[in-house]
Amino acid sequence: MHAEGAVRFICALLLVAADTSPAGQSQINVCVDYGCDLEQPIRISQDEWRTIGSLFDEARSAADERTAVTIAVGRLEQIAGLQAGTQGDLPENSSNHGGPGQLDCIAESINTSRYMQMLEQASLLRWHLVKERAKRRQYIFSTHWSAVLERPDTGEAFAVDSWYGRNGDPALVIPLEQWRRGARPDAGNR
């Protein structure tokens, strides 16, 4: 019986070692309302992580990696949406003005930053680092937030803005300075 317990322990260790999710990150908190006043934990399974990770298999350049990030953010939003009730999140600030499951740019940028940090911790990002969120203020009462990636070799920064799409849509990724000047996906920036 003692040997059987040792075998079970070794099998458990092997299962933990085989986990392809980033260490300690199979569960994260996501924002579920305007302003990220409420958060809810979600879990990402090993199969979901394998699918996310496979998006980066064909990335041969920084541009390819940014494309993979946009799709990965969308897939992680879908996973989160089903668990946290945000699957009906509409683009921008919809007419329901923050009803259940609707996210504003603050919540979207926090969630996107967290998703990208998970990608970074899983060593899926080879050409970019996740940076602090950025904000732009075009008018006195018009402040907008975005997650940010940066190429450490060039210092070039990119806004990764999921607020413009529905839950699960690929995020807008454009040079940060272009985003700061007010670039939007409807202006042909996707």
Side-chain angles (χ1 to χ4, degrees):
M1 210 53 168
H2 184 62
E4 184 178 321
V7 169
R8 284 186 188 157
F9 177 74
I10 291 170
C11 288
L13 285 177
L14 290 173
L15 284 174
V16 169
D19 186 356
T20 59
S21 65
Q25 290 294 315
S26 61
Q27 179 175 311
I28 64 164
N29 287 338
V30 295
C31 304
V32 297
D33 69 341
Y34 270 40
C36 197
D37 294 325
L38 296 173
E39 295 183 29
Q40 181 173 326
I42 63 149
R43 295 194 62 76
I44 300 167
S45 73
Q46 289 181 19
D47 287 341
E48 290 165 334
W49 264 116
R50 277 190 279 279
T51 300
I52 298 295
S54 71
L55 296 172
F56 295 84
D57 290 346
E58 301 300 317
R60 302 287 183 252
S61 68
D64 290 347
E65 185 171 271
R66 288 190 300 276
T67 298
V69 166
T70 68
I71 297 166
V73 165
R75 297 236 174 113
L76 288 163
E77 275 190 348
Q78 289 173 334
I79 293 164
L82 292 172
Q83 295 179 45
T86 57
Q87 71 271 24
D89 179 42
L90 298 172
E92 303 184 25
N93 292 346
S94 75
S95 60
N96 73 0
H97 302 291
Q102 181 64 38
L103 305 177
D104 65 354
C105 66
I106 295 168
E108 291 274 4
S109 65
I110 291 170
N111 286 349
T112 298
S113 291
R114 288 177 182 169
Y115 300 146
M116 293 190 320
Q117 288 165 350
M118 293 176 75
L119 300 173
E120 186 175 57
Q121 290 170 2
S123 299
L124 294 173
L125 303 182
R126 297 185 326 196
W127 287 281
H128 298 89
L129 297 173
V130 179
K131 302 306 273 185
E132 292 294 316
R133 295 179 308 133
K135 71 177 175 177
R136 69 179 182 207
R137 185 168 286 156
Q138 291 186 290
Y139 309 105
I140 293 172
F141 298 109
S142 179
T143 301
H144 185 60
W145 289 87
S146 178
V148 177
L149 283 178
E150 181 180 273
R151 286 192 59 182
D153 59 335
T154 65
E156 188 177 14
F158 297 87
V160 182
D161 195 340
S162 60
W163 180 71
Y164 289 108
R166 294 178 175 275
N167 175 271
D169 285 350
L172 169 70
V173 177
I174 58 174
L176 184 60
E177 289 311 311
Q178 187 179 348
W179 177 86
R180 285 190 194 279
R181 290 191 303 271
R184 301 174 53 87
D186 53 357
N189 300 310
R190 270 206 193 240

